[in-house]
Amino acid sequence: MSVQPAETAVVPGARAPGTAASPGAPHRSEQLTVRGLRKRYGAKEADVLQDVAFVLREGESLAVIGANGSGKSTMLRCCLRLIEPDTGEIEMLGQDVMSARERSLRRLRAHVGFVFQRHNLVPRLSVLSNVLHGAQARAASPRNWFQATAPGRLRAEALACLERVGLTELAGRRSDRLSGGQSQRVAIARTLMQRPRLVFADEPAASLDPTAGEEVMELFAQLMRDEGVGVLFTCHDLDHARRYGDRVLALRQGRVMFDRAVGEVDFDGLRQLYGPVPAAERSPREVLYG
Amino acid sequence: MADPTRQPDRRRELPDRLPRPDALSFTLYVAVAAFVIWCFQAAEMSVSTFIEGVPSMGRLVSEMFPPAFGRMDSIGATMLETFQMAVVGTVLGVALSIPFAVMAARNQTPNRAVYYLARGVITFVRTVPDLIWAIFFVITVGLGPFAGVLALTVDTLGFCARFFAESMEEADPGPQEALTALGARRSGIVLGAVLPAAMPSMVATSLFALEKATRSSVVLGLVGAGGIGIELKAAMDMFDYNEAATIILSIFALVVLVERTSAALRARLI
């Protein structure tokens, strides 16, 4: 199956992005609804995101695939306004993200875990302090954020989060002395400490060897099973998208190419998604200057 | 028949060792050289006067030896006071530098007005020499080590806040983005991600500040702001060069000790 534009790729019975559930489908509330999302970094640059629309329901896993530069990471960051989108509507956990002021945006972010490709742990702090940082939004006093000063209740909770990712024995180690796989598991423990209702993961296995990558993806699957949280993750590994996604959203040049159930995706036909952009799809500027 | 081992002389084909300056660059070089010569003239540099002064120098140095160690207990106590002033001034200056650095770091400041205000204050306190600050504080709080501590605090603030701000600007943005994403407040991001990342550089800067404060605290006494400087001035004024030599050797020992310890600590901590 070849990749088709979003409007023609919606299969019979499947929902168009941003629409309500079809009759007969199990009712799950929408945790994240995005419509008309657009982002451009500079006035002379091309759009990084163009009219992106999708829905993530409670307990659902949405795999976002696409070539480098297709806008996957920008899309994730725009949803939390870590990068300010130009236009669009984003409703997350029942709140309008675009109109949220700083304080309510912080409160909203507190419910959303974000796992980064490069882990983004604080290098000189211990593993336990990094996990404790996950509680920053709900435990406002600075003494709660560090291993040396946090109360026993929070340290026990952080240790329990580390136990879930199998790293209790490394609680006291400096985080810059961990392997890539261990660092990513600590980042997941930090996310667990947030008690998230929704998790974003930006290529969480990309910088890891296949075994460590597999372990990390398995942790996400377990998180979904145990907590029922929605997971939105980007990846290059189509096998991960197939095995860990309920739905697949394909991006090409900032546009949604398709958004469909994982069983309806022809993964063998996805090569076009990663191939060169045909001239017909490129702007005159791109055709002229590459 | 030509010698086959002999290479043709290709020196003419070699590129210039240095690029030839264009007319504007050449004019600028000449102007800079003329300016430096003019400065030498204004400084009344004179080789003959220097040569004439060599015997006086020799006489002064010979009068300093042997150093007089008779008042070593008093000199030792004043040296300790000098170092204590340096430590307190550095600690207070470093503590004050942190909030100023946060306000003066482009990526941490709450807004541009605060940024420019903090940068302005730091630039001002840095450009005024420590001796001028000492005179200011002697007039305002009176003679003694307290005035010296205040002068050293302000001087350390000007030195450290600028470097702290720069190390905060260079801190890896990744952990900061992670804390922003999980709903942390600005203070949480600074305490949780920015300060730990900037810490090695800040520790190194603070140790340099301690070295600088130790050297400064020696001369602050010349204007009555406590420390060994006043003892040195009294010894020189009373032509007691043997005791002056003892004081100078003590200063040398203290500064070297602080510098060596600070270098060892920096190597261990970073």
Side-chain angles (χ1 to χ4, degrees):
Chain A
M1 186 176 78
S2 62
V3 178
Q4 298 166 49
E7 57 270 21
T8 58
V10 178
V11 292
R15 281 158 289 172
T19 61
S22 59
H27 179 76
R28 289 194 288 188
S29 64
E30 294 175 355
Q31 287 195 310
L32 174 63
T33 306
V34 174
R35 291 189 204 94
L37 189 65
R38 186 177 285 268
K39 176 65 189 175
R40 178 183 289 194
Y41 283 112
K44 291 181 181 174
E45 302 292 322
D47 282 347
V48 181
L49 296 173
Q50 300 179 56
D51 291 322
V52 170
F54 66 92
V55 169
L56 180 70
R57 293 177 185 81
E58 199 176 356
E60 188 179 45
S61 167
L62 177 61
V64 182
I65 59 172
N68 287 332
S70 59
K72 304 187 296 296
S73 299
T74 301
M75 187 188 87
L76 251 61
R77 283 168 170 78
C78 280
C79 288
L80 272 177
R81 281 179 54 198
L82 296 173
I83 293 173
E84 282 295 336
D86 294 332
T87 54
E89 293 171 36
I90 304 168
E91 195 183 314
M92 191 185 294
L93 304 173
Q95 248 190 288
D96 180 9
V97 177
M98 294 297 277
S99 65
R101 288 175 170 269
E102 197 180 326
R103 196 171 186 181
S104 41
L105 192 59
R106 272 204 319 264
R107 283 184 187 155
L108 183 64
R109 285 171 177 164
H111 296 294
V112 184
F114 202 126
V115 177
F116 297 83
Q117 181 186 341
R118 287 185 57 237
H119 333 305
N120 286 351
L121 300 178
V122 184
R124 298 183 65 82
L125 296 184
S126 72
V127 164
L128 200 73
S129 290
N130 269 285
V131 178
L132 282 164
H133 280 337
Q136 277 215 15
R138 62 187 160 91
S141 167
R143 80 185 186 100
N144 296 320
W145 310 335
F146 299 99
Q147 181 186 345
T149 51
R153 173 183 54 82
L154 275 177
R155 278 187 296 151
E157 187 181 340
L159 201 66
C161 293
L162 275 176
E163 193 173 7
R164 289 179 66 183
V165 299
L167 288 179
T168 40
E169 74 281 6
L170 298 182
R173 186 178 290 186
R174 258 173 67 153
S175 65
D176 50 2
R177 305 213 169 124
L178 301 175
S179 69
Q182 288 169 336
S183 296
Q184 197 61 296
R185 280 152 73 188
V186 174
I188 294 170
R190 178 173 64 188
T191 296
L192 291 173
M193 191 71 185
Q194 267 182 270
R195 302 176 189 165
R197 293 171 61 193
L198 187 61
V199 172
F200 290 0
D202 186 13
E203 298 186 29
S207 61
L208 308 178
D209 64 53
T211 312
E214 208 61 44
E215 285 171 2
V216 162
M217 294 308 296
E218 202 50 55
L219 277 170
F220 280 114
Q222 195 184 339
L223 181 67
M224 286 178 59
R225 278 197 301 270
D226 295 352
E227 313 279 338
V229 298
V231 175
L232 175 62
F233 69 96
T234 68
C235 65
H236 280 305
D237 188 336
L238 297 179
D239 190 45
H240 283 167
R242 181 182 6 225
R243 287 166 51 208
Y244 298 105
D246 295 325
R247 275 180 28 242
V248 176
L249 183 142
L251 282 179
R252 182 179 175 87
Q253 297 270 293
R255 291 197 187 104
V256 176
M257 297 303 291
F258 64 80
D259 174 3
R260 58 178 69 142
V262 71
E264 294 157 356
V265 178
D266 173 14
F267 283 94
D268 296 329
L270 282 176
R271 272 190 219 99
Q272 190 192 326
L273 198 66
Y274 293 95
V277 183
E281 287 183 34
R282 294 156 74 190
S283 67
R285 183 185 161 83
E286 286 172 317
V287 171
L288 281 173
Y289 304 112
Chain B
M1 195 175 143
D3 179 1
T5 60
R6 191 159 174 196
Q7 296 292 319
D9 186 359
R10 301 185 68 182
R11 276 178 294 183
R12 283 173 183 280
E13 295 170 36
L14 286 169
D16 293 336
R17 287 181 189 274
L18 295 170
R20 285 171 193 271
D22 55 31
L24 180 66
S25 305
F26 182 74
T27 313
L28 274 173
Y29 295 150
V30 172
V32 169
F35 176 74
V36 172
I37 292 166
W38 177 62
C39 290
F40 267 86
Q41 279 179 341
E44 297 180 5
M45 290 290 291
S46 163
V47 176
S48 59
T49 310
F50 180 78
I51 291 168
E52 283 167 20
V54 168
S56 305
M57 245 187 270
R59 206 166 36 251
L60 178 63
V61 173
S62 69
E63 284 178 27
M64 283 181 160
F65 283 90
F69 292 103
R71 286 185 60 240
M72 201 56 215
D73 52 343
S74 165
I75 291 170
T78 319
M79 283 303 298
L80 183 63
E81 180 192 276
T82 308
F83 184 58
Q84 286 167 329
M85 279 167 56
V87 170
V88 176
T90 305
V91 168
L92 292 177
V94 166
L96 278 176
S97 294
I98 294 170
F100 268 95
V102 173
M103 291 186 283
R106 203 170 282 115
N107 55 352
Q108 303 302 331
T109 189
N111 58 57
R112 291 182 78 79
V114 171
Y115 169 79
Y116 284 116
L117 184 68
R119 283 274 167 180
V121 171
I122 293 167
T123 305
F124 177 73
V125 295
R126 198 176 62 245
T127 46
V128 176
D130 48 7
L131 214 55
I132 307 295
W133 283 119
I135 293 168
F136 175 78
F137 287 118
V138 164
I139 294 168
T140 50
V141 301
L143 294 166
F146 183 45
V149 165
L150 291 176
L152 291 170
T153 300
V154 174
D155 195 50
T156 303
L157 168 67
F159 178 74
C160 286
R162 179 189 160 201
F163 288 109
F164 286 4
E166 281 168 12
S167 37
M168 287 178 191
E169 285 173 357
E170 287 162 11
D172 181 5
Q176 298 172 50
E177 188 186 29
L179 296 194
T180 308
L182 57 78
R185 285 178 301 178
R186 183 175 293 278
S187 59
I189 295 165
V190 170
L191 283 174
V194 178
L195 285 180
M199 196 54 76
S201 165
M202 287 170 66
V203 169
T205 304
S206 303
L207 289 168
F208 277 126
L210 179 63
E211 290 176 29
K212 188 173 176 294
T214 307
R215 284 192 297 270
S216 296
S217 62
V218 166
V219 290
L220 294 186
L222 298 176
V223 293
I228 194 72
I230 190 71
E231 295 273 356
L232 181 62
K233 186 172 185 299
M236 292 295 245
D237 288 348
M238 298 175 75
F239 308 107
D240 190 353
Y241 296 128
N242 303 84
E243 187 167 307
T246 311
I247 294 168
I248 290 168
L249 287 173
S250 306
I251 292 168
F252 171 74
L254 176 68
V255 172
V256 168
L257 184 71
V258 171
E259 283 185 358
R260 302 301 300 173
T261 312
S262 146
L265 280 174
R266 273 199 306 275
R268 183 175 276 264
L269 291 172
I270 296 168

